[in-house]
Amino acid sequence: MKAKPYMNPYLAGVLLGLVLLLTVYLTGRGLGASGAIKSIVIETVQTVTPEHAENTAYYSSFKATHPEGPLRSWLVFEVLGVLIGAFLSGVISDRVSLKLEKGPQTTKKVRILAAIAGGMFFGFGSQLARGCTSGAALSGMSVMSFGGIITMMAIFGSAYAVAYFFRKLWIRG
Amino acid sequence: MGPLVPDIIGNEFDLVIALILGIGFGFILEQAGFSTTKKLVGLFYGYDFTVLRVFFTAGVTAMIGILVLGHFNLLDLSLLFINPTFLYAALVGGAIMGVGFILGGFCPGTSVCAAAVGKIDAMAFLLGSFLGIVLFIEGFSIWGDLFIMESMGDLKMNEVFGLSPELFAVIITLVAIGAFVMVTRIEDKVNGRKSSYSTKKMATTFSYAIAPVLIIGILSFTSNHTESVKSDVAEKLSNNTKINEIAADEFSSKLIESYYDFNVIDIRSKEEYKKSHLPLAINIPVDSLMNKEWGNYFTQNHKANVFYGDDFNNVKRAYFTAENIGKAENYGLIESHNEFKALYYNLEQPDKDKRKELDVYKFRKKMGADLTKLEDAMMKFSQPVKKKATKAKGGCA
């Protein structure tokens, strides 16, 4: 079956904006993503090497400020929702299939390695900047946070600055 | 009045809300095409600007929506989570994320979406994010200083430029619309299409800007809830409108008889209240009457509020403000705090031959003793419940 076309971007934007607005109205906070991955990291480290977690200041201070445990967090549940929502959308629009997407001139191996490296950069940067494109840039913009908006400008500015050097990953040329 | 968590919706249900909102978030991201890396990186090579369109439209919609809700007093903007600004961490962290975007082709939220519909590269990206965060935590002692340098607090962009939030929202809206026109031109050029932008179509696009700009315009030219309450209060003050007054003797005997029918509200400053206050009084400084945390006192209908202070004009101000917030029964105590204290606690015994004055003296002496007894009893029974409006926690980090 052929996948259905994507939604009009402006309509999608308005709807996304309304979801964010509803989030702010209900909870006083915005949406996010990277924070959930951090929770999973902390849970994993605490489970796999509890001694190491005890002896590292970052984990122990997280434990002290989050007595309910890392997984009982707003963002973990929200990201679970994202997984469900995206899957539903994919099912409705016939877009669910195991697939590796890559640029026309890249091998599968390069694409996987670049994706892991990109994830590492993004994960690291999101912790340093206290949020990613969702939590800092989009949610920050909606409440006019200075930190959120300069984070957004730094993300896109830097991506444009290095885009040329990594063009072989994505386009012919 | 929002935010509804934690006062109206409990913290347990908060997680269910998170799940539901997440479903909406994920569904729309996927429908918009954010589950494919080709669309995402199109932004950086000029062939597909979907991301910019969705992102900017969403940001502007939410930004204006928040202003509207705040304007009509449906949302207490002072309680919202504002991402705190740590200048260098934001800039360096953002720059690192930018490299990650180009290398990986996703950001964390979109990679979750893409993984949900089976994109293997997105799963690899998520694995990478996991490793990147481990790296950040393990080496935290190295970049811990950078993490907290140049802390600027809950700074807002419009404050940096000295603009009102409304004007800033108009500027962002116009920038967004300008960007939409520009990127469509770039897209056409990169994809070798004939320009799809006629003057007419451009005019249509710009006409979309009318709605948001109009909304913000109306907001900035009509007074918001706080302002209209203030002007109503000022008007009543200058018209010398009457309030329900209550005199000390009547008030004291009623309080002793049925203290549970009254909220005694001290409208002076915190410091003055701490030094001394009337029995059972709580402190709501007159300037903070409109804060969300006190809302319940003015909207309930089973207790009467009795305001007192140093200056009867301020008592009237508090009375009129409370009247605007809710339909609770309100009174203004005629006597000031000091007069009240003098009446019952610092009594001088009059001469024996002045019978009438002696009666009043005895009455007030007993009243003072009863008030003290009541206060002591209540102290043991319970402290007045202190309610605090909670500022939302948020962010990604």
Side-chain angles (χ1 to χ4, degrees), chain A residues 35 89 99 130 144 158 160 163, chain B residues 30 43 45 95 120 147 157 396:
Chain A
S89 162
K99 200 158 122 188
R130 299 173 171 78
M144 303 187 186
S158 139
Y160 273 109
Chain B
E30 208 287 328
L43 171 70
Y45 296 99
I120 297 161
F147 188 64
M157 198 74 179
C396 249

Side-chain angles (χ1 to χ4, degrees), chain A residues 10-101:
Chain A
Y10 300 114
L11 176 63
V14 170
L15 292 177
L16 182 57
L18 292 176
V19 170
L20 178 55
L21 179 62
L22 184 63
T23 308
V24 172
Y25 175 68
L26 291 175
T27 67
R29 53 166 301 146
L31 296 162
S34 53
I37 307 175
K38 177 178 122 179
S39 293
I40 294 170
V41 166
I42 291 176
E43 176 71 23
T44 310
V45 171
Q46 282 175 353
T47 315
V48 176
T49 59
E51 268 169 50
H52 175 69
E54 287 292 325
N55 297 327
T56 311
Y58 195 98
Y59 295 109
S60 48
S61 79
F62 184 92
K63 201 172 179 182
T65 50
H66 301 74
E68 70 286 355
L71 294 188
R72 257 183 83 86
S73 91
W74 202 90
L75 282 176
V76 168
F77 279 76
E78 183 236 66
V79 166
L80 266 179
V82 172
L83 267 175
I84 299 169
F87 180 75
L88 285 176
S89 162
V91 170
I92 289 171
S93 302
D94 298 316
R95 282 194 283 263
V96 182
S97 63
L98 267 188
K99 200 158 122 188
L100 179 72
E101 277 187 324

Side-chain angles (χ1 to χ4, degrees), chain B residues 323-336:
Chain B
E323 212 175 45
N324 256 293
I325 301 172
K327 52 183 185 328
E329 195 182 350
N330 301 307
Y331 291 94
L333 183 66
I334 298 171
E335 284 78 3
S336 72

